[in-house]
Amino acid sequence: MKQSPQMQKIQENMRPGVLTLHGFLGNDRRNLVDILEEDAGIVGRLGTAHKDIAERMQYFRDKGLHGLGEFIKINDHFDVRVETVRGKIPSPFGGPGLYDKTNTTVRNLKLDKEVTYTDINIHFIRDHGFYEGKGSPFRQEPEELVEVLEIEPRPQQTELPPNR
C-alpha cells in the first residue's frame, strides 16, 4: 500500500532518537502502512480486534496498579505487576496528552508464559492498530497477546438471507 505524506511524517517521529532513545520501529525497514496492514491481517485471522486486545491489556494494567509495584494475583491464574517510571512520552501519531512510562507484566500461570507492555502500547493498539516494528524492544506480537491474555475470538457474524 502507498504511504501518505502524513504517515511518512509519523514514521519519521518513530525513528530512534526522535521521541525515545530506541524509537518504535526496531530494525523493521517496511513502511508504516505495511506494518499496520500485516498486523491487522494477523489480528483478523485470530478472530479478534485491536480494541479487544487493548481492552484486555488495560484491564490487567488497571487491576495490577493495586499491587504497588509487586505481583498480585488476578482471577485464579494470572499474576500482574505494574511498575511506573517517572516521566511521560508523547505519541508519534500526535494527538492530545502524554502517556505515563508504565510497564505492565502479566504472567499466565496456567500457560507458564508472560508478556510485558507499556501504556503507550495500549494506546498504539487501541487507537492505531500498531504493535511496533519487528525488533523493537517493546514490539507486541498479536498472537502472543491473544494467547497469554486469553482473548477469546469474537463470534462469527453470519449474514442473514434477505427477506423475500
Side-chain angles (χ1 to χ4, degrees), residues 4 7-8 12-14 17 32 34 51 89 104 119 127 139 144 156-158:
S4 70
M7 290 299 275
Q8 185 61 39
E12 292 301 319
N13 288 337
M14 292 181 174
L32 179 57
D34 296 327
K51 179 178 159 274
I89 187 168
T104 300
D119 282 6
D127 299 330
R139 162 76 184 170
E144 186 176 32
Q156 290 292 323
Q157 300 292 325
T158 56

Side-chain angles (χ1 to χ4, degrees), residues 59-125:
Y59 166 81
F60 284 114
R61 185 239 189 245
D62 292 347
K63 292 286 189 181
L65 279 173
H66 300 291
L68 303 173
E70 299 295 326
F71 276 102
I72 60 170
K73 175 99 43 220
I74 307 292
N75 301 337
D76 62 341
H77 63 275
F78 291 102
D79 282 346
V80 179
R81 178 180 63 211
V82 176
E83 299 174 295
T84 58
V85 180
R86 286 195 338 207
K88 294 182 181 277
I89 187 168
S91 172
F93 289 94
L98 300 170
Y99 296 87
D100 290 327
K101 291 184 177 182
T102 301
N103 295 337
T104 300
T105 300
V106 179
R107 289 181 182 159
N108 183 320
L109 303 174
K110 187 168 60 174
L111 298 176
D112 194 29
K113 293 183 178 184
E114 73 177 35
V115 292
T116 298
Y117 52 86
T118 65
D119 282 6
I120 204 161
N121 285 132
I122 297 170
H123 156 69
F124 284 161
I125 294 167

Side-chain angles (χ1 to χ4, degrees), residues 122-140:
I122 297 170
H123 156 69
F124 284 161
I125 294 167
R126 177 185 293 122
D127 299 330
H128 307 287
F130 181 58
Y131 295 77
E132 299 200 25
K134 303 281 185 187
S136 176
F138 282 94
R139 162 76 184 170
Q140 302 299 311

Side-chain angles (χ1 to χ4, degrees), residues 38-49:
E38 180 178 315
D39 285 335
I42 292 168
V43 170
R45 284 190 295 280
L46 293 169
T48 191

